[in-house]
């Protein structure tokens, strides 16, 4: 049974609703170095319960590094109030990223050839077809408790920069809906090639719309090459992820994620984004706005500031 306490505020813009939040409620720099949580001694459960009183949305990043267990998903659902949403990041194996062999389910790991199992990272291509299909089934099943509780916002497939618009990669996108038919699927491209020219953008957005996949809009550093394109491909859900604007750290992979996305948006930057984001919200029943600048309290602070700006925009204060 879901807990019965206050849910963080949503923003209503006409008949549409925007949910804001951070891409992590557990980041070490937020928990240990900041003072956003009332106490540093809070348990994981207490932190999630508190977070949900401040925001109605978060993203689960740990599922990228290792597949979740059904019991953990059930606990996430039980510890949050009705109306809360979790956007869940897809397991790295399923998005073409390098994956630690130890993160695989034991029986699937034992099926790897010895020379592969000893590697630092494995990829989906190292698994047999049956094992890979089983990995998809288990990932889908693990998220079922969140879905049944009405708290699974979307499943985020963030594809790496080397996932470019080739035939085999387009086939991967085409197959997503059949692999997870009950879930809302969100797609974020890190290769600018999917959106480089107008013709590329039209084809990419049309493909996502045909399969009812959600295009993930991004605000990212110029160094990423990714356009700030606000577009909707699904009338149920729109998603924007804010990665900060730090050009110098965008391509760094040796440090922590917190250091890579260490950027505090200025109020003027958020104010410039408020009007186009408010327009985007009119294209979908629900819009998720997620701050990924998870360094200390940067993400939660900016999420609260953007929420205030959208509320003021809805009241006509600076239109």
């Amino acid at each position: 049974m879901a807990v019965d306490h206050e849910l963080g505020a949503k923003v209503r813009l006409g008949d549409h609703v925007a949910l804001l939040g951070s891409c992590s409620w557990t980041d070490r720099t937020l928990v240990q170095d900041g003072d956003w949580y009332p106490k540093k001694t809070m348990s994981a459960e207490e932190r999630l319960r508190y977070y949900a009183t401040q925001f109605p949305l978060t993203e689960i990043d740990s599922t990228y590094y290792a597949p979740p267990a059904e019991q953990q998903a059930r606990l996430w659902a039980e510890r949050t109030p009705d109306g809360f949403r979790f956007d869940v990041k897809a397991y790295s194996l399923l998005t073409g990223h390098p994956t630690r062999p130890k993160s695989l389910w034991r029986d699937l790991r034992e099926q790897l050839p010895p020379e592969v199992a000893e590697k630092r990272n494995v990829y989906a291509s190292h698994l047999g077809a049956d094992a890979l299909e089983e990995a998809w089934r288990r990932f889908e099943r693990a998220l079922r408790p969140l879905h049944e509780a009405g708290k699974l916002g979307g499943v985020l497939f963030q594809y790496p920069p080397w996932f470019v618009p080739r035939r085999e990669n387009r086939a991967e996108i085409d197959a997503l809906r059949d692999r997870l038919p009950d879930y809302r699927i969100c797609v974020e491209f890190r290769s600018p090639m999917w959106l480089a020219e107008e013709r590329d953008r039209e084809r990419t957005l049309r493909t996502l719309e045909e399969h009812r996949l959600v295009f993930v809009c991004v605000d990212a550093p110029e160094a990423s090459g990714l356009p700030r394109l606000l577009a909707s491909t699904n009338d149920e859900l729109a998603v924007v992820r804010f990665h900060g604007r730090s050009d110098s750290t965008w391509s760094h992979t040796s440090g922590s994620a917190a250091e890579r996305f260490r950027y505090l948006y200025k109020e003027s930057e958020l104010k410039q984004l408020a009007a186009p984001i408010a327009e985007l919200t009119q294209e979908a029943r629900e819009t998720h706005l997620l701050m990924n600048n998870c360094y200390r309290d940067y993400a939660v602070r900016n999420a609260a500031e953007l929420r205030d700006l959208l509320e003021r925009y809805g009241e006509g204060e600076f239109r």
Side-chain angles (χ1 to χ4, degrees), residues 99-113:
T99 299
R100 292 178 294 107
K102 288 185 178 180
S103 73
L104 287 169
W105 296 270
R106 177 179 294 181
D107 59 326
L108 298 188
R109 185 171 69 245
E110 290 173 349
Q111 296 179 34
L112 294 171

Side-chain angles (χ1 to χ4, degrees), residues 25-36:
W25 76 93
T26 61
D27 182 78
R28 181 187 60 79
T29 63
L30 174 64
V31 174
Q32 297 181 7
D33 300 338
D35 57 3
W36 187 74

Side-chain angles (χ1 to χ4, degrees), residues 177-190:
R177 172 52 58 207
D178 290 335
R179 284 171 167 159
L180 300 175
D182 295 338
Y183 302 159
R184 296 191 294 192
I185 301 170
C186 310
V187 177
E188 179 178 338
F189 297 107
R190 287 292 176 89

Side-chain angles (χ1 to χ4, degrees), residues 80-147:
T80 48
D82 291 340
F84 192 85
R85 298 284 188 273
F86 292 93
D87 284 0
V88 177
K89 202 168 183 181
Y91 182 32
S92 59
L93 184 78
L94 308 180
T95 55
H97 286 89
T99 299
R100 292 178 294 107
K102 288 185 178 180
S103 73
L104 287 169
W105 296 270
R106 177 179 294 181
D107 59 326
L108 298 188
R109 185 171 69 245
E110 290 173 349
Q111 296 179 34
L112 294 171
E115 66 275 12
V116 172
E118 294 174 0
K119 291 180 177 291
R120 180 179 180 182
N121 294 306
V122 297
Y123 293 84
S125 59
H126 290 130
L127 275 69
D130 290 344
L132 185 57
E133 284 302 312
E134 181 61 18
W136 277 98
R137 283 193 292 271
R138 293 183 187 184
F139 182 76
E140 186 277 339
R141 192 164 60 239
L143 301 183
R144 185 62 53 177
L146 283 175
H147 175 71

